Each structure stands twice: as C-alpha cells, then as structure tokens.
Amino acid sequence: MRTAQIFYNNQLAGYLSKGEGIYRFVYDKEYLTAAGRRPVSLTLPIREKPYESDILFPAFVNLLSEGANKAMQARMLKIDENDYFGLLLATASGDRIGPLTIKEVYGD
C-alpha cells in the first residue's frame, strides 16, 4: 500500500492511500477539529468517515498535467502514464497553484 499526506495550505489535512485497486482518503483527526479548516475539495466534504473509490478522486486527478506535458513527465520519471497515483506522488510535492500539496509517506 502506498500512502501520501495531503496538506491544505501547509497544514496536514489528511491521508490518501492506494491498496489493491482501492483509493482511500481520510481526514487527519487534528484537522477535523482545527479552527478555519476547509475541505480539500467540494467533492470531499470534511467528515470522520474515510472516502473510498476504485478510481483516483477527481480532486487529485486535477492536480496532474495533461496531454504532452503528462507524457513527457511520465517518460522522464519512468512512470506509466496510466499510473495516476504514481504521477501524483512524483509531481505534486513541490510548488503548486492552489492550496494542496502531496507528500509520500515512506516506510508504510
């Protein structure tokens, strides 16, 4: 299973993981009670119960490059173009437009 921390404006908001074809997003317990908290997406309202899906949540897919840029990134990073989770982990940890930053958790 691969897991990533999801940061909203540099505050840990939750965890995204993929295991056996299922994606799971869960909000961090401290974030659930933090003042001024915001959902990471309108499609993922704040709640305790984890979200599960057989496809990567659109809120995270939208962080990926498309078309020729996606093909170039996949080729340079040696990641299959259809491995959205792998591309997300490899490309969404740096400076981004928008409030979300993704950082892989190692040793999980």
Side-chain angles (χ1 to χ4, degrees):
M1 176 178 292
R2 293 177 82 180
T3 302
Q5 295 174 312
I6 308 300
F7 292 86
Y8 188 95
N9 287 334
N10 298 317
Q11 182 179 8
L12 178 62
Y15 299 90
L16 176 67
S17 59
K18 180 184 179 190
E20 297 185 29
I22 299 294
Y23 294 94
R24 184 175 193 255
F25 175 75
V26 62
Y27 281 99
D28 179 73
K29 290 181 193 265
E30 289 183 30
Y31 192 78
L32 289 170
T33 59
R37 70 186 193 266
R38 307 267 320 252
V40 299
S41 166
L42 293 176
T43 60
L44 297 169
I46 293 175
R47 69 180 195 189
E48 285 186 40
K49 183 179 175 185
Y51 290 91
E52 291 187 347
S53 175
D54 57 350
I55 60 170
L56 184 58
F57 302 98
F60 302 114
V61 172
N62 290 335
L63 298 175
L64 298 173
S65 294
E66 296 177 336
N69 287 339
K70 178 182 169 187
M72 181 181 66
Q73 283 179 334
R75 193 169 44 254
M76 289 177 66
L77 296 168
K78 296 181 169 79
I79 298 173
D80 185 309
E81 273 189 66
N82 296 315
D83 180 2
Y84 289 2
F85 196 67
L87 287 169
L88 183 71
L89 295 178
T91 62
S93 64
D95 290 338
R96 309 211 39 81
I97 295 173
L100 296 182
T101 305
I102 317 300
K103 294 185 181 178
E104 186 167 8
V105 176
Y106 295 99
D108 188 28

